[in-house]
């Protein structure tokens, strides 16, 4: 029976996942460790609104368990030594240089944490891959751990390795964790598999806990993300065709989604998928296929990513085209910067590429997002914000000098003041309720609404005198 869990990596997955395990298994002590002191401090902040990850409902779960059986610490070795089970939940981004750069996963953090587990563990330890990993990574982890197995002064050391990928989506993480469609456990050691199944068994119905071999488990995670992303690229490709043919992508999505074999989810056209995983996991799949000589399979999946990049680029091009071919010196209100609603995460958000294109064209961007900080936007755009007051809507400050500038503003009304266009990039619910009569009144006419999420009340915007483009509307 598992009594003590350690999770290495206190990020978007490690934090919420362990919080729910601690909540549902009050008899298990759970410690989440990270090298990042600031992140651990934020997880321990008495003010629950300061948690490093914004997820609806997370503050309540952490508030219930923290100090009871949920702990956040930088003492990685101590937590490993005390644990019966260690989850590896560290980042696995795409490699930026060396062999496989731009496609393969960078496994340096997973290897470093496996080595740390090998050194610090005591007795028998079940090591669980929670990070998304290339197929056969468990073999690498097993090899590293195997080298440390044997008798030690503290007793016999041994390991079992399991794969247990995470399927939560940001913004709905707590609901996804509390009522998962399935939990997937891949492994060879029946006792280890049942020990992990027993943890989930506290709240997940038995028929939803799937057991597979370890390679199928690793590959299922990459495949699930590839299929989800493929649906988005598919609907975005049809959105472009709708715009050319006067069809409406929402009507098409409803019509095809009514076919129970297709289903209605993940058929929302938009500015392209963002988030830390879809692109990285597909590229990883592409890399694996090439590694195994499956060139056609690799090309097939790569097209999903190519289409996604094209969708982002065509939106910035469309904005420039509609604003008489130039946005130099023009104020454009950007509503939403996060990669989806209900998260503060901006990793791979379509807003980065679209805003960067518009800045390159010399636009003055007034960016509003309810959860993303100005510091994060500056990091993402690689450019500091314009000093307060200069991008004030007069279009005079930088005027026609051609330099693109941006500012973060406090609300949509401030964003649109003096703007030639509003560009909606994240589907925050508040954008569905905007008062278009009030907003249009403070814009420079003729003014545009470019709604890349089709979330706004287009009828009200048109009635207020705006020209409107909605993704996928002919
Ligand atoms: P993240 O970057 O938010 O968190 C990873 C954390 O691991 C960081 O805080 C980092 O400091 C820490 N870390 C790295 N190496 C360490 C080490 N040796 N010791 C201690 N701490 C270390 O990443 P994330 O979004 O939580 O993703 C983690 C994994 O889960 C990735 O493989 C990702 O593909 C996968 N995943 C993510 C999501 C998601 O929604 N974000 C969903 C499912 C799966
Ligand atoms: C996604 C998967 O949904 C999770 O199952 C998976 O665990 C996770 O990746 C991961 O491995 O990291 P996430 O990226 O958090 O979760 O969010 P999604 O809801 O999948 O959205 C991804 C992107 O696709 C967002 O930019 C979103 O706006 C976009 N999207 C989604 C659309 O454009 N249209 C849709 O119909 C759905």
């Amino acid at each position: 029976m598992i009594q003590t869990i350690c999770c290495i990596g206190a990020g978007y997955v490690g934090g919420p996942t362990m919080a729910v395990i601690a909540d549902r298994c009050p008899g298990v002590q759970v410690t989440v460790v990270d090298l990042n002191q600031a992140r651990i401090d934020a997880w321990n902040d008495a003010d629950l609104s300061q948690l490093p990850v914004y997820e609806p409902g997370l503050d309540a779960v952490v508030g219930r368990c923290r100090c009871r059986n949920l702990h956040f610490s930088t003492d990685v070795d101590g937590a490993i030594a005390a644990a019966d089970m260690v989850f590896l939940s560290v980042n696995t981004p795409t490699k930026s240089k060396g062999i496989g750069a731009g496609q393969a996963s960078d496994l340096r953090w997973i290897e470093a944490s496996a080595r740390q587990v090998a050194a610090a563990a005591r007795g028998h330890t079940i090591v669980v891959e929670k990070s998304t990993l290339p197929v056969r990574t468990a073999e690498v982890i097993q090899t590293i751990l195997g080298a440390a197995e044997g008798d030690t002064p503290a007793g016999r050391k041994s390991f079992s390795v399991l794969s247990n990928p995470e399927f939560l989506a940001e913004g709905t993480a707590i609901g996804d964790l509390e009522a998962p469609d399935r939990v997937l456990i891949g492994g060879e050691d029946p006792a280890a598999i049942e020990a992990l199944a027993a943890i989930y068994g506290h709240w997940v119905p038995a028929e939803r806990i799937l057991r597979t071999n370890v390679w199928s488990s690793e590959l299922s995670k990459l495949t699930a993300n590839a299929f989800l992303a493929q649906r988005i690229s598919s609907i975005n490709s049809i959105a472009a065709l709708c715009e050319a043919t006067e069809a409406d992508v929402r009507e098409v999505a409803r019509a095809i989604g009514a076919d129970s074999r297709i289903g209605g989810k993940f058929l929302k056209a938009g500015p392209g998928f963002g988030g830390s995983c879809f692109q990285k996991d597909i590229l990883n799949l592409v890399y694996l296929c090439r590694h195994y000589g499956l060139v056609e399979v690799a090309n097939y999946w790569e097209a999903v990513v190519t289409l996604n990049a094209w969708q982002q680029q065509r939106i910035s091009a469309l904005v420039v085209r509609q604003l008489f071919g130039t946005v130099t010196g023009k104020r454009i209100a950007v509503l939403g910067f996060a990669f989806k609603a209900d998260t503060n995460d901006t990793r791979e958000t379509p807003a980065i590429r679209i805003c960067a294109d518009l800045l390159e064209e010399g636009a003055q961007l007034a960016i509003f997002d309810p959860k993303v900080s100005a510091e994060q936007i500056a990091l993402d755009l690689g450019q500091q914000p314009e000093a307060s007051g200069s991008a004030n809507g007069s279009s005079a400050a930088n005027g026609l000098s051609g330099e693109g500038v941006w500012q973060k503003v406090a609300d949509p009304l401030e964003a649109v003041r003096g703007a030639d266009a509003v560009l909606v990039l994240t589907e925050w619910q508040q954008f569905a309720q905007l008062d278009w009569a009030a907003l249009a009144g403070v814009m420079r006419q003729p003014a545009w609404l470019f709604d890349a999420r089709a979330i706004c009340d287009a009828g009200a915007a048109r009635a207020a005198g705006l020209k409107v483009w909605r993704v996928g509307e002919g």
Side-chain angles (χ1 to χ4, degrees), residues 332 334 336-337 355 365-369 377 381 406-409 415:
I332 298 175
V334 175
F337 200 84
C355 288
L365 304 182
I367 303 175
F368 168 74
D369 189 289
I377 297 173
L381 295 179
W406 70 275
Q407 253 195 352
K408 182 164 187 262
V409 297

Side-chain angles (χ1 to χ4, degrees), residues 172-183:
T172 54
I174 299 303
D176 295 341
L177 289 163
E178 290 181 338
D181 286 347
R182 79 313 207 174
V183 164

